[in-house]
Amino acid sequence: DLQLFTIPQEERGLMALGEETLWRSPDGGESWVEQDVPGRPITLAFFPESNEDLLIPTRIETVFYMARSKNGGQTFSAWASSIDAPIERLAVVPRLTTRVIASTGDTLWLSEDGARTVRPIVEGGDDVHCLGAFRLGGAFGGRAIIHGLKNLFNSHLSYPMA
């Protein structure tokens, strides 16, 4: 499997995540540079206000880690994840970048300290197939997590974030 991500605030920037490797392209895919990630990357999320700041859950043998880069993937700091399962989806809440949402199968997790610690906020539902954290305007004026069961038509608001 290969996951492709656009880099926020970069016109032609791309990142590709393979089974064991992360690559970055500054030129729309014409050239690629392999990034040195601790462990096997699972997925990734960008911090919304920066194209250099990203968070990647990884795995080394049977231990899960979170790795954060503040320089576009050139270097990472890593720590043991408090979630003992593969994180399948990840989102950073816009303008509240210490809040990170993760999914593992049928459980949604919330971190309020940049993914250092987490707590479950939705458990025992169907598997999560899509996940997003959005800033909402209007009367609500806050942020929310949207997660989907199989597609966006089955998605629903799970957890309002003030």
Side-chain angles (χ1 to χ4, degrees):
D1 287 344
L2 183 67
Q3 299 176 54
L4 189 62
F5 300 86
T6 58
I7 300 174
Q9 303 174 22
E10 271 189 32
E11 187 174 319
R12 299 186 66 212
L14 298 172
M15 288 198 117
L17 185 64
E19 296 261 337
E20 298 187 19
T21 309
L22 176 69
W23 296 276
R24 183 179 179 123
S25 173
D27 53 20
E30 292 178 32
S31 64
W32 292 91
V33 176
E34 187 174 334
Q35 308 294 293
D36 187 23
V37 179
R40 294 181 64 186
I42 300 170
T43 190
L44 70 84
F46 286 96
F47 284 74
E49 286 78 31
S50 170
N51 60 348
E52 295 292 313
D53 203 351
L54 60 131
L55 190 62
I56 300 179
T58 67
R59 180 181 193 158
I60 300 173
E61 296 180 13
T62 60
V63 179
F64 296 95
Y65 293 87
M66 294 300 292
R68 183 171 181 175
S69 175
K70 293 187 177 186
N71 57 12
Q74 294 174 34
T75 60
F76 286 88
S77 60
W79 60 91
S81 174
S82 53
I83 300 174
D84 191 25
I87 295 171
E88 299 163 350
R89 310 274 181 268
L90 193 64
V92 178
V93 179
R95 299 201 183 158
L96 294 174
T97 56
T98 58
R99 289 192 180 171
V100 176
I101 314 306
S103 73
T104 56
D106 64 355
T107 302
L108 283 177
W109 303 84
L110 171 66
S111 170
E112 298 192 64
D113 60 6
R116 299 260 176 207
T117 60
V118 294
R119 63 181 168 86
I121 55 173
V122 176
E123 295 181 87
D126 291 324
D127 284 357
V128 175
H129 293 270
C130 62
L131 175 68
F134 301 94
R135 183 172 190 276
L136 304 174
F140 186 73
R143 289 122 182 119
I145 302 164
I146 307 293
H147 69 93
L149 304 178
K150 292 192 170 128
N151 57 50
L152 289 175
F153 298 108
N154 291 333
S155 297
H156 59 280
L157 176 67
S158 293
Y159 189 80
M161 316 254 317

